[in-house]
Amino acid sequence: MAIQVGLIGFGLSGSVFHAPLIDRTEGMTLAAVVSSQPAKVKGNYPQAKVYEDVEKLLSDPDIQLVVVSSPNLTHYEYAAQALEAGKHVVVEKPFTNSSAEADRLIALAKDKKLLLTVYHNRRWDNDFLTISRLLDSGVLGSVSYYEAHFDRFRPEVTGRWREQDLPGSGILYDLGSHLIDQALTLFGKPNTVWADLRKERKGSKANDYFHLVLGYSNLRVVLHSGSLVREQGPRFILHGDRGSFIKHGFDPQEAQLRKGSGPGDENWGRDNEANYGKLTTDIGGLAVSGTVETLTGGYETFYRKLADAISAGQPSPVAAEDARDVIRIIELAMESHSQGRVLPLDHRG
């Protein structure tokens, strides 16, 4: 029998990043949604029940998996309630607003013997998959520098909750979660964290710019995001003792999902050839330079792996502990900025 999924929230995240992928995942059914827009839900997923509040969804005995896709302030509360109700849980990133909250959820899930995971979907961006393969291949040698950008041009401040002065708001929690998770996935935990945070747009109430430097023994990781970047530079820059890799452009899956496309559709997750990365390395002592065809992205991998984890005991697609480490880096970044200094990973303010 298919896993019955309940989705909390049908805004941008729920309707674009979760519902379409759940709906196309074999072994899963989008059975219920908590939303104030029942007509919108039913128009896309007529089989789904629509509840007006979280408590009614959690009391539904048919629901086995709950996806928390609501504003960041509610992540901890709803995830804890769902675990207490005996449901497996997916939390949209950022996991929680503090690492202490994350630790409590991890302990609760273990106590209840339930699966808890976090939707770090950009582990399956096409460019990130390509970089992972390049690093595994050794063509760059020992990497000493890694730089990743998630820049936008959004000069106007909106009234959305993500841009309010609230816990868990701002670009560091939003886009920073993605870049930090990717860096930790590739290189593990750093030794040090340094950060510069800003409100660079007129009227900004939450940070809309960050520049992070993660220090490793022989590696520096630079993670950057700005809101006033009209002309995009490279998305990724990697330098090693054998070669370099420079990559422009963004994975298309978000744009495709927004347009109603999804897994299995034409060109799903495929890069524009003009954005293929440039590799400069050597083979047998001979210098080689050329483009690398980008691997195909696949956000659907998250839910496919999750279905296998629930039904067959396979590993979780994203360990909750990994997502907790991301939040800890964010905490250290905020402390580093406020103190104006580099902080060790084990720093406790």
Side-chain angles (χ1 to χ4, degrees):
M1 180 179 176
I3 298 164
Q4 304 296 294
V5 183
L7 175 62
I8 299 176
F10 203 68
L12 172 64
S13 176
S15 65
V16 172
F17 286 102
H18 291 280
L21 299 180
I22 295 166
D23 189 56
R24 297 194 187 202
T25 298
E26 185 177 353
M28 282 190 172
T29 297
L30 183 59
V33 179
V34 176
S35 175
S36 60
Q37 305 177 79
K40 180 181 177 182
V41 175
K42 285 292 188 180
N44 290 281
Y45 307 101
Q47 81 285 354
K49 293 175 280 189
V50 181
Y51 292 117
E52 60 187 16
D53 58 55
V54 172
E55 289 72 21
K56 289 184 178 179
L57 182 142
L58 297 182
S59 65
D60 186 334
D62 294 331
I63 299 300
Q64 301 163 273
L65 169 67
V66 169
V67 178
V68 179
S69 185
S70 49
N72 296 355
L73 272 174
T74 65
H75 283 190
Y76 173 76
E77 177 187 356
Y78 290 163
Q81 290 177 4
L83 290 169
E84 290 285 5
K87 317 293 187 184
H88 302 294
V89 175
V90 175
V91 184
E92 173 60 74
K93 65 81 207 164
F95 186 9
T96 51
N97 292 337
S98 72
S99 58
E101 288 180 339
D103 283 331
R104 289 197 290 272
L105 288 179
I106 291 168
L108 179 58
K110 289 180 178 177
D111 181 62
K112 298 289 185 179
K113 296 180 171 55
L114 293 166
L115 189 147
L116 171 65
T117 187
V118 179
Y119 189 64
H120 277 296
N121 60 305
R122 291 191 180 273
R123 292 188 182 190
W124 294 278
D125 274 356
N126 58 19
D127 44 19
F128 181 71
L129 292 173
T130 304
I131 286 169
S132 298
R133 183 76 63 84
L134 280 173
L135 291 176
D136 288 342
S137 75
V139 295
L140 300 180
S142 177
V143 174
S144 62
Y145 184 82
Y146 169 96
E147 182 175 339
H149 284 248
F150 207 140
D151 295 318
R152 291 171 169 173
F153 184 68
R154 294 185 176 178
E156 301 298 326
V157 177
T158 71
R160 299 184 309 157
W161 61 263
R162 286 186 175 87
E163 298 195 42
Q164 300 303 307
D165 184 16
L166 298 168
S169 295
I171 203 168
L172 180 59
Y173 273 94
D174 184 17
L175 304 183
S177 292
H178 289 309
L179 296 186
I180 294 168
D181 179 68
Q182 289 179 334
L184 298 187
T185 299
L186 292 176
F187 305 113
K189 297 178 185 179
N191 300 320
T192 60
V193 177
W194 177 88
D196 176 38
L197 311 177
R198 292 174 56 201
K199 299 178 181 68
E200 66 176 359
R201 295 176 298 172
K202 184 178 180 180
S204 289
K205 297 178 180 179
N207 289 322
D208 53 14
Y209 166 104
F210 66 77
H211 189 84
L212 270 61
V213 179
L214 307 183
Y216 297 77
S217 57
N218 295 309
L219 167 70
R220 289 295 178 270
V221 167
V222 175
L223 309 176
H224 183 95
S225 181
S227 299
L228 296 177
V229 183
R230 193 159 202 161
E231 180 67 27
Q232 296 280 338
R235 175 101 158 92
F236 290 99
I237 301 172
L238 288 85
H239 299 302
D241 60 9
R242 283 195 57 198
S244 298
F245 182 71
I246 312 294
K247 175 75 174 69
H248 290 75
F250 277 85
D251 177 280
Q253 290 173 94
E254 177 177 350
Q256 290 171 328
L257 286 167
R258 285 174 180 265
K259 293 178 180 178
S261 182
D265 292 342
E266 185 178 7
N267 292 323
W268 169 251
R270 298 189 65 180
D271 202 8
N272 185 324
E273 187 173 347
N275 290 330
Y276 287 177
K278 181 180 180 181
L279 172 67
T280 304
T281 186
D282 68 80
I283 298 176
L286 300 174
V288 176
S289 180
T291 57
V292 175
E293 182 176 352
T294 310
L295 297 176
T296 301
Y299 290 169
E300 67 276 14
T301 306
F302 177 89
Y303 276 108
R304 188 171 66 245
K305 286 179 175 287
L306 181 56
D308 290 340
I310 293 173
S311 62
Q314 295 298 310
S316 169
V318 176
E321 291 82 0
D322 291 354
R324 181 269 321 281
D325 293 341
V326 170
I327 302 303
R328 183 62 190 139
I329 296 295
I330 289 174
E331 291 174 333
L332 287 170
M334 294 189 294
E335 290 184 59
S336 168
H337 171 77
S338 65
Q339 297 179 23
R341 65 189 182 98
V342 176
L343 294 179
L345 188 66
D346 60 1
H347 172 79
R348 296 290 169 181

